[in-house]
Amino acid sequence: MHPTRQELLTEWALHEFYPSNAIISMMPANLPPEYLKAEERYLRARTLEEKILATQELIRLAPKHKGTEKLLKVLKRRLSKLREELRRREMRRVGGGPSFHVKKEGVAQVALVGVPNSGKSTLLRQLTGAQPEVADYPFTTREPVPGMMQFEDVQVQLVEIPAIIEGSSLGRGLGARPLSAARNADAIALVVDASNEPLRQMETLLSELWAAGVRLNRFAGEVVDGFEEHSESLVDRRAVIVATKGDLPGAEEGFELLCGKYGERFPAVLVSPVAGSGPTEVKRLIFESLGLVRVYTKRPDEPPSERPLVLPKGSTILDVARAVHKDIARGLKFAKVWGSARFPGQQVPRDYVLQDKDIVELHV
Ligand SMILES: Nc1nc2c(ncn2[C@@H]2O[C@H](COP(=O)(O)OP(=O)(O)OP(=O)(O)O)[C@@H](O)[C@H]2O)c(=O)[nH]1
Ligand SMILES: [Mg+2]
């Protein structure tokens, strides 16, 4: 005998965080039958994964209007809590297994994230000195593999993240640990096989990262369903698309599809040994995704430093002075800039915003 809707609701109320009358009063009268079915699925769900899937379904199916605002809020909060719980469980599960945490080196860490066989290891080999195994079967790479990428005069750490599949966030495939490893990086390169249903790969990657609380290249004011605003579990990351296998049939078309759908949101490049878009272009794209600028300091009548200071975009003369030494920042009188300045050696105020490759002379 199946319990009635009312019994199920009461059970829900008992096991969840709301008194039953609060839930009942929250229920708008005319919820569609599919919604009620999904609700039953939720109430019968035994595992965390099933509960998450059912709650996602409920959010999707609930009519969106004034009368359902409260209901949607409760559902989203619940989804957020369930995901948090799953993430904690996945973390505990790590137990004796290998650590997926990769210590950061260089100016920043960029995660190479993709579905199985998308060409992550091949790309890592091309761009760094690392030698991960490359093979034509899925899940060849089972732990994160780091490598250092030299771009002009800076070193960026790339980390191949073990493959993501649909359901990774729910523990499928290699589980949610790859997603956690991707969360830890400073930026993300979405590695997509352009010759093999690239849009589907993107959908998988975006929805799994989203389920892991990672928002990519977020537009201002965008709403993210299923998470509490300001929740600690949300992180914002910049991302680019590196489309691979440009030499295979269908790749050019696949790349066009990618650019058509995602080009506005993600800078993209097609890697192809034949079409000639070589590693330099990819390296530049990855470096640019980090939102960093390189600044070279100099003393009067001396050449600029060979190694740049690497600072976030938007950094000012005062930030540069602080990065050099706090006494210099304190005693700073003026600075001269070569590069972005209107003329070489122009004297600029301390709030002057620097561009990549500027040369700065600090006067104290
Ligand atoms: N033709 C062609 N094949 C490629 C290219 N890049 C990778 N492959 C092949 O695709 C298969 C998978 O490549 P990997 O680099 O191992 O892919 P991966 O994303 O690291 O795979 P997993 O670690 O299993 O997730 C291998 O057989 C590669 O030789 C490419 O640019 N062109
Ligand atoms: Mg691999």
Side-chain angles (χ1 to χ4, degrees):
M1 248 269 298
H2 284 313
T4 65
R5 176 173 146 75
Q6 198 54 48
E7 280 164 358
L8 287 170
L9 281 174
T10 313
E11 187 193 339
W12 178 17
L14 283 175
H15 292 287
E16 302 294 331
F17 356 93
Y18 297 94
S20 59
N21 53 357
I23 291 195
I24 313 292
S25 70
M26 218 162 359
M27 288 290 167
N30 43 7
L31 287 163
E34 314 89 74
Y35 180 93
L36 299 177
K37 275 207 192 106
E39 189 185 81
E40 290 212 12
R41 271 202 297 284
Y42 172 77
L43 293 168
R44 296 215 170 79
R46 286 293 161 256
T47 66
L48 259 181
E49 288 86 347
E50 286 169 1
K51 285 185 186 179
I52 290 174
L53 283 174
T55 307
Q56 283 172 340
E57 188 84 348
L58 286 172
I59 292 173
R60 197 172 59 78
L61 292 172
K64 313 285 185 291
H65 55 72
K66 195 93 193 128
T68 56
E69 263 174 22
K70 224 167 158 188
L71 174 68
L72 278 166
K73 219 173 138 191
V74 169
L75 289 172
K76 287 176 185 177
R77 186 174 308 151
R78 185 168 77 199
L79 183 56
S80 170
K81 287 199 174 179
L82 289 168
R83 282 175 170 161
E84 198 90 48
E85 201 176 324
L86 184 70
R87 191 154 41 238
R88 272 200 299 272
R89 198 184 70 189
E90 288 287 327
M91 287 305 189
R92 281 199 300 275
R93 212 175 66 165
V94 174
S99 167
F100 270 31
H101 181 80
V102 178
K103 191 171 161 276
K104 291 187 184 181
E105 282 175 41
V107 298
Q109 185 184 75
V110 179
L112 305 181
V113 177
V115 303
N117 277 335
S118 65
K120 300 177 291 298
S121 296
T122 307
L123 188 69
L124 188 71
R125 275 172 173 263
Q126 265 175 9
L127 302 180
T128 73
Q131 303 269 305
E133 189 184 345
V134 168
D136 64 358
Y137 54 83
F139 303 118
T140 308
T141 307
R142 307 189 71 86
E143 289 168 32
V145 185
M148 294 308 288
M149 173 182 91
Q150 183 80 37
F151 170 69
E152 296 176 352
D153 51 9
V154 289
Q155 294 230 312
V156 178
Q157 184 185 47
L158 303 186
V159 181
E160 176 181 359
I161 305 294
I164 304 294
I165 59 169
E166 210 183 308
S168 285
S169 56
L170 299 173
R172 279 187 63 207
L174 299 171
R177 282 195 297 156
L179 288 165
S180 304
R183 263 175 79 97
N184 280 333
D186 300 304
I188 290 176
L190 300 161
V191 182
V192 177
D193 177 349
S195 72
N196 183 18
E197 300 192 90
L199 296 185
R200 231 176 100 173
Q201 294 172 56
M202 276 298 285
E203 275 155 31
T204 301
L205 298 179
L206 295 182
S207 62
E208 293 304 322
L209 284 164
W210 177 79
V214 185
R215 304 194 279 195
L216 303 177
N217 299 356
R218 188 169 58 114
F219 295 122
E222 187 179 30
V223 185
V224 178
D225 272 353
F227 284 98
E228 296 272 299
E229 212 41 59
H230 313 299
S231 142
E232 247 178 56
S233 61
L234 272 180
V235 296
D236 274 295
R237 294 288 179 264
R238 288 162 178 265
V240 294
I241 297 175
V242 180
T244 59
K245 310 199 188 184
D247 55 308
L248 292 184
E252 303 269 347
E253 294 80 351
F255 187 60
E256 270 173 37
L257 286 176
L258 272 175
C259 292
K261 177 140 189 211
Y262 297 104
E264 261 185 44
R265 182 164 197 171
F266 301 100
V269 66
L270 178 64
V271 203
S272 162
V274 223
S277 54
T280 326
E281 202 183 329
V282 188
K283 286 182 177 184
R284 175 171 303 283
L285 190 82
I286 290 176
F287 178 74
E288 282 172 359
S289 77
L290 292 166
L292 298 172
V293 292
R294 290 165 289 178
V295 174
Y296 306 82
T297 53
K298 74 183 281 299
R299 293 175 201 282
D301 304 319
E302 280 182 27
S305 63
E306 273 179 15
R307 291 174 55 84
L309 285 172
V310 181
L311 300 166
K313 257 186 194 155
S315 291
T316 62
I317 291 289
L318 190 59
D319 296 321
V320 173
R322 283 201 189 108
V324 176
H325 198 279
K326 63 178 191 307
D327 290 343
I328 296 196
R330 210 175 293 134
L332 185 68
K333 293 215 177 69
F334 67 94
K336 291 180 174 182
V337 170
W338 286 257
S340 66
R342 256 180 297 134
F343 57 88
Q346 185 195 349
Q347 195 169 318
V348 296
R350 29 200 301 151
D351 62 352
Y352 181 85
V353 174
L354 293 152
Q355 304 297 320
D356 189 35
K357 289 188 168 175
D358 273 354
I359 297 169
V360 175
E361 195 176 272
L362 298 167
H363 288 259
V364 286

